[in-house]
Amino acid sequence: MSVPPRWCLIILFYSFWPVAKCMPALKEPRLSLADVATSYNIREPEGPDTYAFGYDINDPDTENVQFRDEERKPDGSVVGKYGWLGMDGTAYIVNYVADSRGYRASVDTVQNYLMRRRSRSNPFMKIT
């Protein structure tokens, strides 16, 4: 049985509700190597029935580095991205959209992310 994208997003949204706390939306590139976990949850940033939330995690003890950002737009569409740092140093970034045309996602990878992050002022620039 196929689950409608809206239900998937509602389930995903509420599964992350406990980790979210109110703070201004961060509109800069993610996958930070911050020392602490940061998160935000904003209700109705663009009017009724809209939301924005996200988080960053960097746990040096477990080497868990990940992030997520998601926004629901006034037209009901949902856009977002999430990513993580693999054990081999590769960063994986998934961009997704869920709207009247369905759910679409694309995956980008950045090999040797840590080395590139240290050597560039903008580590999120696509390197070809």
Side-chain angles (χ1 to χ4, degrees):
M1 180 170 112
S2 174
V3 177
R6 186 174 189 159
W7 284 106
C8 291
L9 295 171
I10 290 170
I11 291 167
L12 287 172
F13 176 75
Y14 283 107
S15 67
F16 286 97
W17 188 269
V19 299
K21 55 185 174 179
C22 286
M23 65 185 280
L26 304 173
K27 298 292 185 181
E28 52 198 53
R30 304 299 288 227
L31 203 60
S32 74
L33 295 178
D35 289 335
V36 295
T38 58
S39 63
Y40 66 93
N41 179 26
I42 302 172
R43 293 181 184 199
E44 302 187 339
E46 297 182 42
D49 298 324
T50 64
Y51 64 81
F53 77 92
Y55 62 85
D56 280 337
I57 297 173
N58 179 33
D59 184 351
D61 294 335
T62 62
E63 298 180 1
N64 180 12
V65 178
Q66 59 180 294
F67 78 97
R68 181 164 179 200
D69 286 301
E70 182 174 293
E71 294 182 40
R72 183 167 194 244
K73 302 294 185 178
D75 65 359
S77 63
V78 175
V79 295
K81 61 181 158 179
Y82 61 91
W84 66 95
L85 188 60
M87 295 301 289
D88 63 352
T90 300
Y92 299 88
I93 302 170
V94 179
N95 294 286
Y96 60 91
V97 176
D99 58 16
S100 60
R101 294 179 18 212
Y103 180 83
R104 299 173 308 285
S106 64
V107 180
D108 293 319
T109 59
V110 180
Q111 301 292 325
N112 300 314
Y113 172 78
L114 291 176
M115 289 179 12
R116 291 179 186 202
R117 186 180 195 318
R118 291 184 187 117
S119 65
R120 299 180 72 88
S121 60
N122 182 355
F124 299 95
M125 245 162 68
K126 190 155 185 155
I127 300 171
T128 55

